[in-house]
Amino acid sequence: MALTQSTGGHTQRTATSARRNRKMRAAVRGWLFVGPVVLGTFLFNVLPLIPTFYFSFTRWNGLGDPSWTGLDNYTRALSGGDDVFYTSLKNTFVYTIGYVPLGIAIGLVLALLANRPLPGMPFFRALFFLPMVTSLVAVGIVWRWIYNDRFGALNWGLGELGIDGPRWLGEPNPAMFAVIMTGVWTSMGYNMIILHAGLQSIPQDLLDAASVDGAGAWSRFRNVTLPFLSPTIFFLSILAVIGSFQVFALILIMTGGGPGSATYVYIFNLWEQAFQLRNMGYGSALAVMLFFVIAAITAFQWRMSKHWVFYQ
Amino acid sequence: MIAAHKVSRRRLLRNISLTVGSTAVAGAPSQAWASGGKAQFALRTAQDVRAVSFMSIGSLQEQEMYQQAIEAAQQETLNDLNIQINWQAAPSNEWERIMTLFAADQASDIQRIDDDRVYLLASENKIHQLDPWILDPEIGMDPTLYYPRTFTSLAIEGYQFGVIPASSANVVYYNRDHFDEAGLTAPTSWNDAWDLDVFIENVRTLAEVSGAYGVAFPSNVITPIMYGAGGSALTEDQTACAFDGTEVEQALDQFVRLVVDEEFANRPEEVPLEMFNSGLASMMWSAMNAGSEISQDINWGIMPWCKTPLHAMTENYDRAFVIPKSAQDPEAAFIALKALTGKAPSDIFAQSRWGVPNLIESAEGEAFNDPSLPPENKNVWAETFGAIGDQPVDVNVPRGPIGEAWKSAITEADLYGALFSGQITTREFLDTACDRVDEQIQNLNWSSTEGLNLLMESGALTDPDAKVLA
């Protein structure tokens, strides 16, 4: 009996040890796979945050020694010491509010179209994805020409229809609209591909069952497709919001932040302060504040996702 | 040149003796000695060559030009002096990346940098004061060989912290076909430049005839417009912005009307070169290197910007080269830098249309004035180094933090863009720009003596008594 117990205990210990070893090996394998990315993220994303946070409390021109100024940089921004701080923040919110829903909605429409078994669809999918792989600088230059009110294609086309087009990039509201639409155009292919992948993961039997139950196209979309796509839409919205708060290259090329400060977004101000005027300390403070704004909005999105994102 | 050769021989002897001594002490392989003079020379050369690294940002053509200029300098003087310039490609085409190299003490021994950044680098003790070397009777520069602006334009509180082998002149590029169509003849010298009223009228004529913009200009054209009309950006003691007079307002207003009301000139979001290359602008104010970027479809020439009451009519960009404090052998770097201002490299800069050489012999020589190279009136570029009466054609914008604040205030996207899109009046523009400059003066507690204090305190001024501009 004692021998049996002893043998049983030994077997149990051996099994436990083998399980532990397997787990350990799996963990090591896992870390080997993600290790380079984790290391890279730590070195190039997390680590630079520490000096950025420190510099945000200093006056520093990027060359000499920084001098500690406490909360001065933050006070300057929040108390109106920077003429364009609130304007740039407002413009960024306007861009986000325009760009995120429109980009996802158009991506969804394209994904639904691309999901149909029509001839030539792979070609159109590739075509819609092209803006995503095109240089942003080239995109900005081409669209700047298209929007040119005197010599551009858009106003020429509108003129042919008897419509007197506005000065797209020369007046505040049309300029912001033009920049948003270019941003949407650039991202729609990416959104389409991701949403298309989401659409293909929806079980066909569920859609068939809904049809058998008499659900029409809209009802199937509303009650089956959208709930199943909600995690994908949520993922896209998180990325799009973060991306829209960091919009820079398009604006730099298309409008230079103008006319006046109509498209002067947050990152534009940060770039100008840090790298043009060499107020690295103040630029760092702007970066830290942006970090917290984006973190807060992302946290809000996570919280709100409980109400509309459906996980299988 | 003569002084440089003297140094060469002296150094050569010193180095040979040092090398022979050290080689003997180290027990050099007998093979090297036994194999005769050739091996011995190879050994000595390898050890004695003073290497100097050189870096600049620039287009592929510019990078090729630098390498040709280095080769020319090597042949002309540096080989004899046993100094070798090693070209280093810049990590990107952005000055900011170069500034990062300075911050990390990783800049090359000779580093090209934007002329506007030299003041900051000097006041942060990142670059060498060059006056002692320039004045050195053996290795120094002979000021009479160069245009005076070589030593005045980049002077930081009167001291030299950089050398300018060439400067890019800003002139008007014009479309000959549009001019012919409008029946206009372009002026061929700054002395004959159109008056402001004539210029504005001709812009209108060109726009009406060609259907294109009469003129396209970038934001920095505002500097000569304002300077030519009103004198100086700051008060003499640099404690207040002075650029808000009515004469400046009136001059500026004429250009604002051209853009906003009449649509005869480009708006801020329209890039002048793009407009000019597309035949959508009859004239374009731009730097010298724009010539190489103009489309072959455009039949172009150059002419002066319009005459302003004070004749300050353009702003040149100095091609500035500095020697970082981190340079391994700063004296060799200076000799190499001086060699890059020599005749052969200057001719290459001239032929490449990278700038008007500051070496007079080269600027007035065949390379720059070669009739087979466009455009016809090359004197329009070179004349920007001169004066009309007592007034220099080139605007003398103040350098330093307040000068930079002033430039930023008037050319920054929000203010300049607002002015030229009709959102604010010229008066509001001037007042707001001046408020920003005054705020910066207040923040830095600035006055005209502060700059010198900065140089002294940072240790940048290694020899305050040595002064080329004394």
Side-chain angles (χ1 to χ4, degrees):
Chain A
M1 189 69 176
L3 183 68
T4 315
Q5 268 181 347
S6 167
T7 312
H10 176 73
T11 312
Q12 206 172 358
R13 271 199 304 277
T14 310
T16 311
S17 167
R19 264 201 309 276
R20 202 181 296 133
N21 281 344
R22 267 200 306 277
K23 268 187 180 175
M24 181 68 83
R25 275 199 298 274
V28 168
R29 269 200 304 274
W31 275 107
L32 280 176
F33 275 114
V34 299
V37 176
V38 170
L39 190 68
T41 308
F42 180 76
L43 284 177
F44 299 114
N45 294 80
V46 179
L47 218 54
L49 282 177
I50 299 164
T52 304
F53 193 69
Y54 165 72
F55 290 134
S56 74
F57 296 104
T58 66
R59 174 184 278 188
W60 186 45
N61 62 18
L63 278 177
D65 296 325
S67 57
W68 185 263
T69 53
L71 289 170
D72 279 6
N73 290 325
Y74 293 95
T75 314
R76 179 186 166 196
L78 299 172
S79 66
D82 174 359
D83 291 351
V84 289
F85 176 77
Y86 285 109
T87 308
S88 67
L89 199 58
K90 185 201 84 184
N91 288 342
T92 308
F93 273 104
V94 170
Y95 180 85
T96 304
I97 289 165
Y99 165 81
V100 177
L102 208 56
I104 293 175
I106 292 177
L108 181 57
V109 170
L110 291 175
L112 289 168
L113 288 173
N115 204 34
R116 287 169 172 262
L118 296 173
M121 244 341 138
F123 170 75
F124 283 106
R125 275 202 293 269
L127 195 69
F128 284 123
F129 195 70
L130 269 183
M132 192 66 206
V133 293
T134 308
S135 149
L136 258 189
V137 175
V139 167
I141 291 172
V142 169
W143 278 97
R144 193 174 64 203
W145 271 107
I146 291 172
Y147 283 125
N148 188 299
D149 58 282
R150 278 191 70 185
F151 311 107
L154 184 57
N155 273 9
W156 173 81
L158 289 173
E160 292 293 299
L161 298 171
I163 301 166
D164 193 15
R167 287 164 55 168
W168 290 104
L169 302 178
E171 291 171 22
N173 290 336
M176 181 54 94
F177 175 77
V179 169
I180 289 172
M181 290 313 293
T182 310
V184 167
W185 182 82
T186 311
S187 65
M188 67 184 185
Y190 175 77
N191 291 348
M192 179 198 74
I193 292 291
I194 301 291
L195 288 164
H196 183 249
L199 281 174
Q200 292 197 324
S201 68
I202 299 173
Q204 188 57 40
D205 53 346
L206 275 180
L207 290 164
D208 293 342
S211 292
V212 169
D213 287 348
W218 170 248
S219 184
R220 283 202 304 277
F221 174 73
R222 171 81 183 74
N223 297 306
V224 181
T225 307
L226 263 188
F228 270 91
L229 271 186
S230 59
T232 314
I233 294 173
F234 174 57
F235 164 75
L236 285 176
S237 69
I238 293 270
L239 288 190
V241 166
I242 293 172
S244 64
F245 267 84
Q246 296 175 341
V247 63
F248 174 68
L250 264 188
I251 303 234
L252 178 69
I253 292 156
M254 288 181 69
T255 63
S261 47
T263 57
Y264 198 90
V265 286
Y266 195 92
I267 291 284
F268 208 91
N269 190 25
L270 194 160
W271 168 74
E272 223 166 51
Q273 287 293 341
F275 300 110
Q276 301 299 108
L277 304 174
R278 300 199 68 77
N279 295 325
M280 289 286 182
Y282 183 63
S284 299
L286 289 176
V288 169
M289 284 189 279
L290 180 65
F291 172 80
F292 284 114
V293 168
I294 291 177
I297 291 174
T298 308
F300 177 73
Q301 283 179 287
W302 275 103
R303 184 170 276 267
M304 295 311 288
S305 72
K306 287 179 196 157
H307 302 292
W308 65 277
V309 179
F310 167 76
Y311 293 101
Q312 274 180 301
Chain B
M1 296 297 174
I2 296 165
H5 276 289
K6 278 181 188 167
V7 172
S8 162
R9 288 194 202 100
R10 201 178 57 188
R11 285 232 166 81
L12 198 65
L13 289 170
R14 188 189 70 187
N15 289 338
I16 288 170
S17 61
L18 277 175
T19 310
V20 169
S22 60
T23 312
V25 169
S30 55
Q31 214 180 351
W33 296 100
S35 59
K38 200 173 174 184
Q40 193 180 340
F41 179 76
L43 183 69
R44 179 189 59 72
T45 305
Q47 288 184 352
D48 285 359
V49 168
R50 300 166 80 182
V52 173
S53 57
F54 170 90
M55 183 193 284
S56 173
I57 67 167
S59 63
L60 285 175
Q61 291 95 323
E62 275 183 47
Q63 295 192 30
E64 202 182 314
M65 176 197 71
Y66 287 126
Q67 289 173 68
Q68 287 171 4
I70 289 169
E71 186 51 40
Q74 289 295 146
Q75 299 290 336
E76 194 171 56
T77 47
L78 294 177
N79 286 345
D80 291 342
L81 300 172
N82 248 10
I83 292 173
Q84 175 66 48
I85 303 180
N86 297 317
W87 163 255
Q88 286 187 333
S92 85
N93 218 15
E94 290 291 329
W95 291 123
E96 262 321 306
R97 295 290 292 273
I98 304 296
M99 293 302 273
T100 310
L101 292 180
F102 274 106
D105 291 331
Q106 295 290 317
S108 287
D109 300 339
I110 298 176
Q111 183 71 58
R112 187 187 154 208
I113 190 69
D114 178 18
D115 56 348
D116 289 340
R117 294 168 203 258
V118 174
Y119 196 107
L120 177 65
L121 289 169
S123 60
E124 288 293 346
N125 196 17
K126 289 287 176 186
I127 52 178
H128 279 282
Q129 182 197 354
L130 303 182
D131 300 75
W133 284 316
I134 295 173
L135 292 169
D136 188 302
E138 288 189 355
I139 62 168
M141 295 167 80
D142 179 356
T144 60
L145 300 177
Y146 302 90
Y147 286 108
R149 69 183 309 284
T150 310
F151 302 103
T152 55
S153 178
L154 201 60
I156 310 294
E157 306 300 337
Y159 292 95
Q160 308 297 315
F161 282 87
V163 168
I164 316 165
S167 301
S168 171
N170 274 285
V171 298
V172 173
Y173 293 78
Y174 69 96
N175 185 316
R176 287 175 181 276
D177 297 337
H178 289 192
F179 268 56
D180 289 346
E181 225 177 312
L184 293 174
T185 308
T188 56
S189 160
W190 290 88
N191 283 305
D192 309 326
W194 289 335
D195 288 331
L196 178 59
D197 294 340
V198 177
F199 182 85
I200 299 280
E201 202 42 52
N202 287 339
V203 167
R204 290 193 181 108
T205 308
L206 283 163
E208 279 159 6
V209 171
S210 68
Y213 286 135
V215 65
F217 47 77
S219 61
N220 51 351
V221 79
I222 204 168
T223 316
I225 295 174
M226 294 172 77
Y227 257 90
S232 182
L234 305 169
T235 55
E236 205 171 331
D237 60 1
Q238 296 197 358
T239 54
C241 174
F243 241 150
D244 50 3
T246 49
E247 65 285 358
V248 174
E249 184 183 355
Q250 283 164 6
L252 206 47
D253 230 10
Q254 300 214 45
F255 286 91
V256 174
R257 275 203 298 276
L258 270 185
V259 176
V260 178
D261 302 332
E262 300 175 280
E263 298 192 359
F264 287 156
N266 67 311
R267 285 197 305 274
E269 74 273 9
E270 292 168 320
V271 179
L273 186 65
E274 283 178 17
M275 308 310 290
F276 191 75
N277 272 342
S278 316
L280 298 174
S282 301
M283 294 189 282
M284 161 184 78
W285 189 76
S286 193
M288 192 171 170
N289 51 332
S292 62
E293 294 169 4
I294 294 176
S295 162
Q296 292 191 338
D297 298 334
I298 304 290
N299 178 17
W300 60 278
I302 58 169
M303 59 178 262
W305 184 246
C306 57
K307 199 179 282 180
T308 54
L310 292 178
H311 293 308
M313 290 184 274
T314 197
E315 190 186 1
N316 288 332
Y317 295 116
D318 297 322
R319 310 300 199 183
F321 292 82
V322 296
I323 300 176
K325 282 279 167 82
S326 56
Q328 293 294 311
D329 184 348
E331 190 191 66
F334 173 75
I335 296 168
L337 181 47
K338 180 192 159 192
L340 285 169
T341 68
K343 175 76 166 59
S346 292
D347 282 354
I348 286 167
F349 296 144
Q351 278 166 338
S352 307
R353 301 296 186 233
W354 178 67
V356 182
N358 273 305
L359 185 75
I360 298 169
E361 186 188 1
S362 183
E364 292 178 354
E366 178 69 16
F368 184 71
N369 299 294
D370 182 352
S372 67
L373 287 174
E376 259 175 54
N377 307 310
K378 300 167 186 70
N379 57 298
V380 174
W381 277 326
E383 281 174 10
T384 62
F385 284 14
I388 298 177
D390 291 337
Q391 188 64 33
V393 172
D394 183 18
V395 170
N396 191 17
V397 179
R399 295 196 182 273
I402 304 305
E404 288 306 310
W406 181 79
K407 264 197 205 177
S408 297
I410 60 163
T411 57
E412 254 172 35
D414 62 330
L415 265 193
Y416 178 87
L419 174 66
F420 281 96
S421 57
Q423 293 178 52
I424 56 173
T425 64
T426 309
R427 174 46 49 198
E428 286 167 335
F429 169 81
L430 290 172
D431 289 345
T432 314
C434 264
D435 286 347
R436 288 186 185 179
V437 176
D438 288 339
E439 193 186 323
Q440 183 72 350
I441 289 171
Q442 214 170 5
N443 286 343
L444 297 178
N445 199 15
W446 189 263
S447 71
S448 54
T449 54
E450 271 308 297
L452 194 57
N453 290 342
L454 276 180
L455 293 181
M456 299 291 269
E457 283 165 15
S458 69
L461 218 50
T462 44
D463 188 351
D465 296 331
K467 202 172 186 183
V468 175
L469 295 179

